[in-house]
Amino acid sequence: MALKVTNPTTTKSWSKIQSHFETLKSKHLKDMFSSDSERAKDLTVKWDDFYVDFSKNRITKETISLLTELANEVDLKDAISKYFEGEIINETEGRAVAHTALRAPKSSKVFVEGVDVIPDIHEVKEKIKSFTESIVSGNHKGFSGKTITDIVNIGIGGSDLGPAMVVDSLQYYKNHLNTHFVSNVDGDHYNEIIKNLNPETTLFVIVSKTFTTQETLSNANSIRAWFLKSQPKQAVSKHFVAVSTNIDSVKGFGIDEENIFPMKDWVGGRFSLWSAVGLSVSLALGYDNFNKLLEGAHKMDEHFRTADFEENIPVISALLTVWYNNFFESESEAIIPYTQYLNQFATYLQQGIMESNGKSVDRSGKPVNYQTGTIIWGEPGTNSQHAFFQLIHQGTKLIPADFIGFTKPLYGNKDHHDKLMSNYFAQTEALMNGKTKEEVLSELKEQTISQSEIETLSPFKVFEGNKPTTSFLIKKLSPESLGKLIAMYEHKIFVQGIIWNIYSYDQFGVELGKQLAKSILKELNESEKSTNHDSSTNNLLSFYKNNC
Ligand code: F6P
């Protein structure tokens, strides 16, 4: 059965939230804290090794209860059941959205179109496991009998960002294999990567759900041509494997069936790292760590599926996005991990969140009359403090931010970790409290400057504060906790899509540019001048052709 179609702005709860917003919009967080000693406790969710403090958001308990009323009015509970039970909720593509089944235990049952998908999932997991073991142990030799030392993942979008982010984030847990990622169709990208590789000791993992993606196929073809310059054709089967739903095209590319790791079309590209798309993760970190990542995600699935909305981390998190996006009219959200390991996390989430919820037509096919998907960006602290934090603190835009920190560093350098985390704590406090004119004046009076200089300088040093943040404090970065964190954002995406009454699991918006690029590519190889575009594009094409 289809997802319920409700314009959220026509619900009773939306009007209530609007009135509530009017009473709250000018309140300062500082005052909300001083008038309610229980605030931090009441607005914090402790779950497993996660401590999630929502209290530095411009909300009260009433906000949460009104927002959950909205969630109930659009029937989020029913939508969650459909999501987990493999119903066709990606209606525009006629597919289920069943990536949660990929991390469900072997004993569970998940039916997609009447078929229990768990046995097949575990069969592929077994294949990933034994292949990983043969590569990591050195049992699998390259064609010339040498041990594999390097893995190259060739894919783009969901076939690159997830595995690349996880391998980089969990590099502390990595084995001896060197892992590389080629994604961009920019030939310089793959050339930079292969230039130091020995084809005899390298395994190429071609990842493409559709096996039609121009970037991936171009890179795979060019890399295979480079490989065949020094290796015989029979060597391909020892050095090239693929992950795809399109088995025929993979075979057509010349990859043996036994070297194909299948995936299903009910796994969206941007949610696919849990499937065979995670093969590079398994190779780089070992199968056990890959499995722990999945187990962590499954724990978050269970939390999301069963916890009351008021205690449900992805649900509250998603509702807060709706609160800021649709009531405060803030347009973007920052994700700031206080660990260098997560430096690709925001980039990864950009695809997950923006490709899913960047939609302007609702589930009944009508243009929406309210805002949907937010702009996602971010970089690790403390680096980002020295880059764009100025704008968050004193700019004109309201930018809700997720601060993600860990209580333990991986190498145990407490001195550095305390410094790092003191910044994590200080920034959310500073963003919330700001600095008043009185505070600025008294600080300036301590300095040896004149009264008129104090007057001139003080306006520039005032921080309004009242900038919302959510603090995710997690015990330790591990495969399991990262799995939980990624799954948290996946469910947040789902909840937002349900509230905004949009389809989160298609991505037609990326097609137009791809189509145009195909026809322009033909023109680039023609000698005549391009005249069939607008004058700007025609001129740019001429300049390119004359200078390339
Ligand atoms: O960017 C569009 C997209 O379809 C993504 O959703 C997907 O992750 C990516 O292209 C790669 O697709 P494929 O895995 O089929 O090569």
Side-chain angles (χ1 to χ4, degrees):
M1 266 217 324
L3 290 170
K4 193 171 160 183
V5 171
T6 312
N7 178 335
T9 63
T10 62
T11 58
K12 284 194 194 119
S13 41
W14 193 275
S15 321
K16 288 196 217 165
I17 298 168
Q18 187 63 54
S19 326
H20 173 69
F21 168 72
E22 297 303 328
T23 65
L24 213 68
K25 67 179 182 199
S26 336
K27 287 215 170 122
H28 201 290
L29 273 167
K30 227 172 17 180
D31 301 325
M32 295 194 213
F33 269 93
S34 54
S35 64
D36 179 4
S37 58
E38 300 291 290
R39 181 178 170 83
K41 183 170 79 56
D42 289 346
L43 293 171
T44 293
V45 177
K46 290 185 204 157
W47 169 78
D48 227 34
D49 51 346
F50 278 44
Y51 181 104
V52 187
D53 183 352
F54 294 105
S55 68
K56 291 194 185 83
N57 280 288
R58 291 169 69 173
I59 55 170
T60 60
K61 278 200 287 178
E62 194 190 349
T63 322
I64 298 289
S65 100
L66 290 171
L67 288 166
T68 52
E69 218 177 293
L70 171 65
N72 288 326
E73 225 178 318
V74 301
D75 221 349
L76 176 61
K77 265 245 133 39
D78 175 65
I80 294 175
S81 308
K82 289 179 171 148
Y83 173 35
F84 277 89
E85 285 162 16
E87 292 204 23
I88 310 287
I89 60 165
N90 175 1
E91 290 176 54
T92 46
E93 294 182 331
R95 291 174 189 161
V97 177
H99 51 270
T100 54
L102 297 165
R103 52 235 192 182
K106 210 172 177 174
S107 54
S108 52
K109 285 190 186 310
V110 179
F111 290 89
V112 174
E113 295 186 64
V115 177
D116 180 9
V117 294
I118 297 295
D120 268 5
I121 289 172
H122 283 268
E123 198 180 304
V124 176
K125 281 179 78 177
E126 278 306 317
K127 184 167 175 163
I128 295 173
K129 183 174 184 221
S130 63
F131 186 69
T132 301
E133 283 164 4
S134 70
I135 296 285
V136 176
S137 64
N139 286 342
H140 172 114
K141 304 283 182 217
F143 183 72
S144 60
K146 293 189 179 150
T147 305
I148 299 296
T149 56
D150 289 75
I151 309 292
V152 180
N153 189 95
I154 308 170
I156 195 164
S159 299
D160 163 72
L161 291 164
M165 180 278 288
V166 172
V167 169
D168 194 45
S169 301
L170 297 177
Q171 58 187 269
Y172 177 81
Y173 301 90
K174 226 171 146 287
N175 55 32
H176 61 282
L177 295 167
N178 305 308
T179 323
H180 315 267
F181 289 85
V182 174
S183 53
N184 202 319
V185 75
D186 178 355
D188 292 339
H189 190 189
Y190 87 81
N191 272 298
E192 280 299 338
I193 293 195
I194 60 169
K195 75 179 182 194
N196 296 320
L197 293 178
N198 177 356
E200 290 178 80
T201 58
T202 303
L203 176 80
F204 298 95
V205 183
I206 308 171
V207 188
S208 178
K209 179 179 165 181
T210 55
F211 222 76
T212 56
T213 305
Q214 185 203 47
E215 292 90 334
T216 304
L217 294 188
S218 303
N219 283 326
N221 279 314
S222 299
I223 288 175
R224 187 181 52 181
W226 164 83
F227 179 84
L228 290 174
K229 273 192 201 156
S230 61
Q231 303 302 303
K233 214 168 168 205
Q234 314 85 282
V236 168
S237 68
K238 290 279 179 196
H239 294 268
F240 285 79
V241 300
V243 177
S244 188
T245 55
N246 187 350
I247 309 299
D248 288 343
S249 297
V250 179
K251 285 203 259 176
F253 179 87
I255 291 185
D256 294 350
E257 187 137 23
E258 71 204 46
N259 288 340
I260 304 176
F261 293 78
M263 63 184 287
K264 299 286 185 189
D265 70 356
W266 41 257
V267 182
R270 51 195 175 274
F271 305 99
S272 64
L273 70 90
W274 323 99
S275 70
V277 169
L279 181 60
S280 299
V281 174
S282 179
L283 291 167
L285 307 175
Y287 180 80
D288 285 351
N289 282 325
F290 176 60
N291 202 37
K292 280 185 196 150
L293 183 85
L294 269 57
E295 283 170 0
H298 177 67
K299 281 194 183 168
M300 181 55 81
D301 294 343
E302 287 304 285
H303 166 72
F304 173 58
R305 214 171 52 78
T306 58
D308 289 344
F309 290 165
E310 285 86 352
E311 292 292 315
N312 194 313
I313 301 167
V315 171
I316 303 174
S317 211
L319 293 173
L320 289 182
T321 300
V322 173
W323 173 240
Y324 291 118
N325 183 55
N326 299 91
F327 296 90
F328 282 89
E329 297 179 0
S330 70
E331 298 211 314
S332 77
E333 293 174 290
I335 294 170
I336 317 290
Y338 274 70
T339 165
Q340 193 55 31
Y341 286 120
L342 290 190
N343 76 88
Q344 293 187 27
F345 197 55
T347 311
Y348 163 75
L349 289 176
Q350 280 176 334
Q351 187 201 16
I353 299 174
M354 292 161 80
E355 195 164 275
S356 299
N357 287 337
K359 309 286 166 62
S360 50
V361 169
D362 72 14
R363 287 202 290 269
S364 60
K366 296 201 183 80
V368 294
N369 57 354
Y370 46 88
Q371 288 290 316
T372 63
T374 49
I375 300 161
I376 299 298
W377 55 291
E379 283 290 324
T382 57
N383 297 17
S384 49
Q385 293 173 202
H386 296 270
F388 53 73
F389 265 50
Q390 166 64 37
L391 185 141
I392 306 185
H393 279 290
Q394 282 190 312
T396 52
K397 296 179 172 58
L398 186 73
I399 302 166
D402 284 353
F403 276 63
I404 302 167
F406 295 87
T407 60
K408 285 188 194 320
L410 296 188
Y411 284 96
N413 188 326
K414 189 165 176 342
D415 171 49
H416 276 259
H417 199 64
D418 285 350
K419 285 175 184 153
L420 172 75
M421 291 305 286
S422 61
N423 279 279
Y424 165 93
F425 297 116
Q427 288 295 333
T428 59
E429 210 178 4
L431 285 163
M432 173 176 86
N433 287 332
K435 201 188 267 184
T436 60
K437 179 145 194 221
E438 294 67 47
E439 287 166 331
V440 170
L441 289 176
S442 87
E443 249 180 45
L444 287 173
K445 277 181 192 139
E446 301 285 301
Q447 298 172 16
T448 48
I449 52 174
S450 68
Q451 188 55 34
S452 78
E453 277 174 309
I454 289 177
E455 289 300 327
T456 314
L457 259 182
S458 62
F460 302 102
K461 297 203 163 226
V462 170
F463 289 52
E464 187 197 331
N466 218 11
K467 312 287 190 210
T469 59
T470 299
S471 301
F472 291 85
L473 193 50
I474 303 165
K475 288 200 180 141
K476 187 178 159 187
L477 177 62
S478 65
E480 193 178 300
S481 65
L482 183 64
K484 291 174 193 165
L485 191 63
I486 301 170
M488 197 291 292
Y489 281 101
E490 288 183 345
H491 299 321
K492 178 174 173 169
I493 293 167
F494 169 82
V495 175
Q496 289 169 353
I498 295 301
I499 307 264
W500 287 327
N501 193 28
I502 53 175
Y503 286 118
S504 299
Y505 298 98
D506 58 27
Q507 55 285 316
F508 300 119
V510 299
E511 295 306 324
L512 177 61
K514 282 192 204 169
Q515 281 165 10
L516 287 179
K518 266 193 197 153
S519 65
I520 289 182
L521 180 61
K522 281 198 202 116
E523 288 174 50
L524 293 183
N525 294 310
E526 287 161 3
S527 50
E528 311 87 76
K529 248 181 137 180
S530 295
T531 52
N532 54 343
H533 301 270
D534 55 274
S535 57
S536 157
T537 311
N538 285 336
N539 291 347
L540 286 163
L541 288 171
S542 295
F543 186 82
Y544 177 79
K545 281 166 127 178
N546 294 336
N547 292 285
C548 68

